[in-house]
Amino acid sequence: MILVRSAQGLYWMSRYLARAEHLCRMMALQMEAMVDRPFREVHFGWSRIYGTMERTPPWGDIGVLESDEGLLFDSYTLAEDLTFERMHPESVWSCCAGGRENARQMRQCITGEMWLGLTLPYLRLQRMGIRDIWRTSPETFYNETAGAISAFSGAAADTMYRDENWSFIRLGRAIEKAQLTTSLFLTQLQLSRLADDSFDGDWETLLRLYHAFDAYVVRYAVQVEPGQVLDLLSTDSHLPNSLSRMLGHVEEALESLGPGPNAAASEDLRRLAGRVSALVKYEWDGHHNPEPLLNEAYQHCRDLHDLVSATYFDYRIQDAPVR
């Protein structure tokens, strides 16, 4: 039986790290886009990042610029805000620090390989600032940081005993990635609607973000169509980072954990996990109007987190079973 404090620490550790990895991958692609893309597309990318992270950008509401007169914030400032701003909990620095601090407190629950794999990139990040990464190639920094977090996840998969510790790590990562994925898709649709047209490159960026471009070409063709991109990234359970696969991981982790001390919340949690997974698998109609379904899936992902907390972390003592 795992302690509540340990379960909560492992759950949040994996959520913070999944968030940092996702943001780093988006930033790496944004840095590449800045090389030769028009300002309108670059601004689209910044708006997408802020929208996905549910942050208000420095220039106000997210949207699409029609001219560079409104581009008041340079990319250097935005990258520093999203990466090294220590006062904001969604920055790369804060997410890595939060993940590492939870790992430190749960040091007895993780393996030495995991601890080493997390500490080295964390210490490297502490010594760096925006000037250090900007003078050469910032996309290299983001790719290396995302790679280090992926290596940490690989070390966990290779070295951890398959007990409750492992299941809470898997549960936190899957819920975080499912929530970020639905948030990103909704932001992409919102911005595309505001732009009145969309860039092929924007949708292609989504495929590259989820390592799905080759799979897309095999299934469809080289021509990128928004509906087909969402269809693939949402419903293809063979794609490692698809929404459907993440929700499947949530169900598997809950199955291995079993019922929590709060029986009522535990039942609601399993029912909701099955509901949102079935929603994407069987009710998806991405070629017509996927936004209502994505909105519902996004809200369910947020509710999943609340029910995980009620089931395993924040239950009342009188809800705990007598043993």
Side-chain angles (χ1 to χ4, degrees):
M1 176 64 70
I2 186 173
L3 296 173
V4 170
R5 181 170 173 269
S6 299
Q8 196 168 16
L10 294 170
Y11 174 82
W12 274 110
M13 176 192 73
S14 59
R15 287 205 66 160
Y16 276 127
L17 294 177
R19 196 176 304 169
E21 181 185 3
H22 193 267
L23 180 54
C24 281
R25 295 201 184 284
M26 293 185 73
M27 290 293 292
L29 293 170
Q30 178 67 8
M31 294 299 109
E32 294 175 8
M34 287 165 45
V35 175
D36 56 0
R37 301 286 178 82
F39 78 89
R40 189 164 175 255
E41 195 165 337
V42 171
H43 184 75
F44 188 104
W46 286 121
S47 295
R48 181 169 54 192
I49 293 175
Y50 274 97
T52 302
M53 304 306 294
E54 300 181 37
R55 287 189 56 184
T56 301
W59 62 84
D61 296 335
I62 64 169
V64 178
L65 287 181
E66 297 300 332
S67 73
D68 59 359
E69 294 178 356
L71 200 60
L72 301 178
F73 293 88
D74 59 58
S75 295
Y76 180 93
T77 304
L78 299 177
E80 182 179 29
D81 178 52
L82 289 164
T83 309
F84 294 104
E85 177 52 63
R86 303 189 179 196
M87 298 301 293
H88 203 288
E90 305 294 337
S91 71
V92 173
W93 191 97
S94 296
C95 290
C96 287
R100 202 262 186 179
E101 176 59 21
N102 277 283
R104 186 188 66 79
Q105 294 183 21
M106 300 304 118
R107 178 66 184 85
Q108 74 283 0
C109 299
I110 64 176
T111 64
E113 289 83 356
M114 293 169 64
W115 177 246
L116 185 63
L118 184 57
T119 298
L120 292 179
Y122 168 77
L123 293 177
R124 171 173 170 261
L125 185 61
Q126 300 305 302
R127 297 191 294 267
M128 302 185 79
I130 189 63
R131 292 182 180 177
D132 300 309
I133 69 172
W134 207 261
R135 65 176 57 141
T136 54
S137 60
E139 63 271 21
T140 301
F141 164 79
Y142 292 114
N143 281 324
E144 289 178 351
T145 304
I149 297 173
S150 291
F152 171 83
S153 301
D158 283 345
T159 60
M160 279 201 76
Y161 192 75
R162 291 322 193 240
D163 56 6
E164 290 173 311
N165 293 337
W166 165 250
S167 295
F168 275 110
I169 288 177
R170 199 175 179 212
L171 180 63
R173 182 175 175 81
I175 289 180
E176 181 68 30
K177 293 185 77 168
Q179 188 173 322
L180 286 171
T181 297
T182 51
S183 178
L184 173 58
F185 292 171
L186 288 168
T187 303
Q188 176 80 18
L189 290 170
Q190 179 188 358
L191 289 172
S192 296
R193 189 169 56 250
L194 291 174
D196 205 20
D197 60 358
S198 60
F199 313 99
D200 283 349
D202 294 322
W203 291 96
E204 184 180 326
T205 299
L206 290 191
L207 294 172
R208 294 175 60 200
L209 179 66
Y210 290 96
H211 308 290
F213 186 76
D214 291 339
Y216 180 89
V217 172
V218 170
R219 176 185 284 195
Y220 300 106
V222 177
Q223 182 67 32
V224 175
E225 296 291 339
Q228 293 173 345
V229 173
L230 285 179
D231 190 38
L232 180 75
L233 297 180
S234 298
T235 63
D236 192 333
S237 59
H238 297 290
L239 200 64
N241 296 300
S242 72
L243 178 58
S244 175
R245 193 169 182 86
M246 287 303 111
L247 294 172
H249 287 173
V250 172
E251 287 189 288
E252 292 168 8
L254 291 175
E255 182 66 26
S256 55
L257 283 171
N262 186 336
S266 184
E267 184 62 29
D268 290 343
L269 174 60
R270 276 152 183 76
R271 189 180 301 114
L272 182 61
R275 164 63 186 154
V276 65
S277 184
L279 185 71
V280 175
K281 282 182 182 176
Y282 305 116
E283 299 181 29
W284 177 260
D285 190 14
H287 293 291
H288 294 92
N289 184 16
E291 202 159 352
L293 187 145
L294 283 171
N295 267 314
E296 187 176 353
Y298 173 73
Q299 187 55 51
H300 285 336
C301 288
R302 295 178 67 92
D303 294 340
L304 280 174
H305 166 74
D306 293 338
L307 285 171
V308 165
S309 296
T311 300
Y312 297 109
F313 310 146
D314 300 327
Y315 56 87
R316 296 178 301 174
I317 297 299
Q318 53 266 40
D319 291 332
V322 178
R323 300 183 185 279

